[in-house]
Every structure is written in C-alpha cells, then in structure tokens.
Amino acid sequence: MLNLAISASKILQGHAFCLAGFFLKDAFYLTKWRKQMPKIKTNRGAAKRFKRTGSGGFKCNQSHRRHILTKKSTKRKRQLRKAATLHPADVRMAARMMPYS
C-alpha cells in the first residue's frame, strides 16, 4: 500500500510517527471523499425569497408592502398579501441559484 520505510536518521529525529500519520490521513481522505462530485451551494438570498411550486415554477412575495401604506387603499394592500409567481423569464435564473429546491 504505502511505503512507510523511513531511514534511521528520520527515526532518530522523531519524524517517523508524524510522517506515518500524515500518509495514512491522506490515504483516508483520498479514498473516502475524492470519489464524490462537489456540492453546489444554494444562494441564501434566493432561498429566503423564493419557494418552488409543484409545477416547477417559483412563488415569491409581492413588493410595495413595507412602508408608505397610508396612501394605499385597503383593497390594494389586501391583494398584495398573496404570493406572486416569478416571471417565466426569471425561472431559469432562480433554478440555478437554488439547485436542490
């Protein structure tokens, strides 16, 4: 497997155990982790703003509900409560930012 033959001078200097442990650790990580594909990170800002629907689209909250609400009618504020769907032109971008949704 690994050639752990170390010269007498290295043993006298106290490097034998250190080198053997280093090689064994490298062999463990190479066999266990190198075979898997790397994971893709989810964009955390997109994950907080969008949710995937059953049909593959994305739903999001509507804007214009944060401030200056006194001049907006009750009907307008009530209709802004429901979730909106993301425009089809933006679905591909959102799916790329959230690969596991």
Side-chain angles (χ1 to χ4, degrees):
M1 181 177 139
L2 292 172
N3 184 8
L4 295 178
I6 301 170
S7 66
S9 63
K10 292 285 184 187
I11 293 173
L12 290 175
Q13 292 175 1
H15 295 291
F17 298 108
C18 191
L19 286 175
F22 178 74
F23 289 138
L24 291 176
K25 186 173 74 171
D26 279 354
F28 171 76
Y29 283 118
L30 286 176
T31 56
K32 184 168 183 174
W33 302 110
R34 287 295 282 223
K35 294 178 183 175
Q36 297 176 354
M37 289 294 290
K39 295 179 181 176
I40 301 171
K41 285 191 175 182
T42 297
N43 183 303
R44 299 311 299 161
K48 292 167 189 170
R49 286 171 173 82
F50 309 124
K51 301 283 182 225
R52 180 76 86 160
T53 62
S55 61
F58 287 92
K59 62 181 182 177
C60 58
N61 291 325
Q62 296 198 40
S63 58
H64 306 292
R65 278 279 331 259
R66 291 293 177 192
H67 60 96
I68 315 176
L69 297 174
T70 53
K71 65 171 74 171
K72 294 173 185 149
S73 68
T74 308
K75 178 182 178 181
R76 183 174 169 192
K77 290 184 282 191
R78 182 175 63 247
Q79 288 175 343
L80 287 172
R81 274 187 222 146
K82 6 179 215 188
T85 56
L86 205 59
H87 193 271
D90 297 325
V91 168
R92 185 173 165 207
M93 174 192 59
R96 186 173 180 185
M97 288 191 286
M98 301 190 336
Y100 302 108
S101 63

